[in-house]
Amino acid sequence: MNAVVSPAVVEVRRVIAASPAAVFAAWLDPDAVGVWLCPFDGTHTIATIDSRVGGRYKFDMHTPSGVVEHNGEYVEIVAAKKLVFTWNSPHTGGDSLVTVTFNAVKGGTEIVLVHEKLPADKRSAHNGGWNSGLDKLVAYAASHLSSGASA
């Protein structure tokens, strides 16, 4: 009998003191992504984004040990509500899938990020990376986005 190994899944949540539209926009603005999507000790990210279904992105995350390239394709885009995109990096072994939902809550927006199809041995690193990146998004929102709290 052959064992079946299920790909790993990471789920991360954050509440951000800004409207869903503002938080959503921060995921598709290359300048914003360049500031907040650089987890851990990353200094910045150079982002190229073609924000349409079928459009591609490239994120070059600059770290003290060098540049780590991430790229993929947008699969679904629902303004201010949902982003779905493939995620490929040297640490995923091929395309994985990221779904981000933006839910209006009291105080702003709850982001729910689900990263699927990860190699099991990379789950912990991606969990840490997304948590670190979303912490930086919270800080970015505090200084760059209108609070626009709703609900």
Side-chain angles (χ1 to χ4, degrees):
M1 182 164 136
N2 291 334
V4 176
V5 178
S6 297
V9 175
V10 167
E11 182 174 319
V12 180
R13 295 172 180 263
R14 283 294 180 290
V15 174
I16 299 177
S19 71
V23 177
F24 178 86
W27 282 78
L28 296 176
D29 175 356
D31 292 332
V33 168
V35 173
W36 71 263
L37 189 56
C38 48
F40 303 120
D41 56 357
T43 57
H44 67 285
T45 293
I46 297 176
T48 304
I49 297 173
D50 179 2
S51 59
R52 60 183 173 84
V53 172
R56 298 200 54 85
Y57 69 85
K58 181 179 174 196
F59 302 148
D60 289 335
M61 296 182 186
H62 290 250
T63 73
S65 58
V67 176
V68 181
E69 182 180 315
H70 298 73
N71 62 70
E73 181 177 313
Y74 293 103
V75 176
E76 182 178 358
I77 300 174
V78 181
K81 295 192 181 299
K82 185 177 187 182
L83 277 177
V84 181
F85 49 93
T86 61
W87 182 266
N88 189 314
S89 79
H91 307 290
T92 59
D95 279 343
S96 54
L97 187 69
V98 177
T99 301
V100 186
T101 55
F102 305 83
N103 304 307
V105 296
K106 184 173 181 158
T109 302
E110 179 190 41
I111 287 181
V112 180
L113 180 145
V114 178
H115 193 161
E116 304 173 88
K117 301 181 181 179
L118 287 167
D121 64 338
K122 301 298 183 180
R123 181 187 182 283
S124 179
H126 282 83
N127 185 59
W130 283 119
N131 272 290
S132 175
L134 292 183
D135 287 345
K136 290 183 178 186
L137 179 55
V138 169
Y140 175 85
S143 62
H144 291 84
L145 303 179
S146 166
S147 67
S150 58

